[in-house]
């Protein structure tokens, strides 16, 4: 079955540091890939998405590139802020299906 | 534009009881999906409703059931509650018709089973 594997957390960084959160996937077809963010006490918010190989999703300074050859969708940000502290989830949905398959999440804490 | 809302925010139930959780979808959306998020885990797909019918189900037993109403709001019902049902239950709405579906999540209902 389809699955998503994220790097284990938690991740603690200082403000303005570079962020990478690794995500790899297993899928039988050609999935769409997503990053969701969950702030404390809130539901999930879509951060960015990519629908086909080599697509780059970007939003709020975050970027992720759909790499079919390595089945990866790593999240990056050049300079994190304290307000980026949250749990980040990588997810996929397979073509024609709205069912999302999530990774376990990576908790990010950014210290001033 | 009204976002996805869920009620109640928190709920405490006893093992063996039944519970109903509610979700109002975002304006213009016609599909509702439910997810269970255990503590420290990613959300797990329970099922989805489209045009008032179940349209896909995850690996959850039949005691998890749902409804979708003509106004696209939805209910999740769980019978014979077990301790492991304690989790955050998330509702997500979306609109079928585009090439890529984007799901918008509500804030969730925190269910505690004692």
């Amino acid at each position: 079955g389809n699955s998503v594997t994220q790097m284990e957390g938690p991740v603690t960084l200082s403000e303005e540091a570079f962020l990478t959160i690794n995500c790899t996937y297993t899928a039988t077809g050609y999935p769409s890939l997503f990053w969701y963010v969950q702030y404390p006490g809130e539901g999930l918010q879509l951060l960015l998405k990519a629908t086909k190989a080599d697509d780059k999703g970007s939003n709020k300074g975050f970027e992720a590139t759909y790499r079919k050859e390595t089945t990866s969708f790593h999240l990056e940000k050049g300079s994190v802020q304290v307000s980026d502290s949250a749990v980040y989830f990588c997810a996929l949905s397979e073509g024609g299906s709205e069912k999302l398959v999530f990774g376990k999440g990576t908790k990010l804490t950014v210290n001033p | 534009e009204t976002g996805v809302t869920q009620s109640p925010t928190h709920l405490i139930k006893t093992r063996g009881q039944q519970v109903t959780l509610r979700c109002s979808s975002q304006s213009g959306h016609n599909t509702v999906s439910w997810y269970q998020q255990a503590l420290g885990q990613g959300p797990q797909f329970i099922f989805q409703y489209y045009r008032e019918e179940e349209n896909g189900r995850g690996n959850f037993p039949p005691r998890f059931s749902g409804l979708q109403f003509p106004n696209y709001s939805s209910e999740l019902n769980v019978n014979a509650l077990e301790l492991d049902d304690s989790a955050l239950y998330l509702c997500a709405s979306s609109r079928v018709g585009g090439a890529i579906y984007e799901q918008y999540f509500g804030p969730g209902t925190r269910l505690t089973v004692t």
Side-chain angles (χ1 to χ4, degrees):
Chain A
N2 298 338
S3 65
V4 174
T5 302
Q6 286 182 240
M7 65 184 284
E8 297 275 333
V11 174
T12 303
L13 296 173
S14 297
E15 206 165 23
E16 299 184 3
F18 184 85
L19 168 71
T20 299
I21 300 178
N22 289 338
C23 171
T24 57
Y25 67 89
T26 301
T28 53
Y30 299 94
S32 296
L33 302 174
F34 305 84
W35 277 100
Y36 280 84
V37 58
Q38 187 173 36
Y39 297 102
E42 298 185 13
L44 298 173
Q45 298 178 24
L46 177 64
L47 181 59
L48 53 84
K49 70 178 190 294
T51 62
K52 61 183 186 296
D54 300 325
D55 267 3
K56 177 186 283 188
S58 61
N59 186 26
K60 300 181 181 180
F62 290 89
E63 293 183 339
T65 301
Y66 190 141
R67 301 287 188 198
K68 185 181 174 188
E69 64 274 13
T70 55
T71 61
S72 65
F73 193 55
H74 305 321
L75 182 69
E76 296 182 338
K77 186 175 185 183
S79 177
V80 294
Q81 306 300 312
V82 172
S83 58
D84 294 327
S85 298
V87 181
Y88 292 82
F89 293 92
C90 185
L92 67 80
S93 71
E94 215 161 58
S97 167
E98 291 192 42
K99 169 187 172 183
L100 288 169
V101 176
F102 287 89
K104 291 187 175 181
T106 302
K107 182 176 182 180
L108 170 66
T109 301
V110 180
N111 295 318
Chain B
E1 186 176 79
T2 306
V4 179
T5 60
Q6 293 186 243
S7 62
T9 306
H10 296 90
L11 202 53
I12 300 175
K13 289 287 189 178
T14 303
R15 190 172 54 182
Q17 287 187 315
Q18 178 267 343
V19 69
T20 297
L21 310 181
R22 295 179 174 82
C23 170
S24 291
S25 58
Q26 184 164 310
S27 176
H29 286 183
N30 54 16
T31 301
V32 174
S33 301
W34 285 93
Y35 292 81
Q36 180 196 65
Q37 186 180 12
L39 197 61
Q41 301 295 315
Q44 299 274 323
F45 176 75
I46 302 174
F47 45 54
Q48 180 186 91
Y49 278 82
Y50 173 59
R51 291 184 175 177
E52 303 178 47
E53 293 199 358
E54 190 177 289
N55 182 40
R57 189 179 184 93
N59 189 25
F60 281 81
R63 60 190 185 83
F64 285 77
S65 63
L67 287 171
Q68 186 183 31
F69 300 100
N71 65 354
Y72 305 123
S73 65
S74 177
E75 287 182 354
L76 164 65
N77 298 291
V78 187
N79 294 322
L81 283 167
E82 301 178 359
L83 296 179
D84 284 350
D85 295 334
S86 294
L88 180 68
Y89 288 84
L90 296 166
C91 164
S93 74
S94 57
R95 180 170 177 78
V96 172
I100 299 298
Y101 306 123
E102 292 186 15
Q103 298 193 31
Y104 293 85
F105 284 80
T109 294
R110 173 73 63 188
L111 172 65
T112 303
V113 182
T114 62

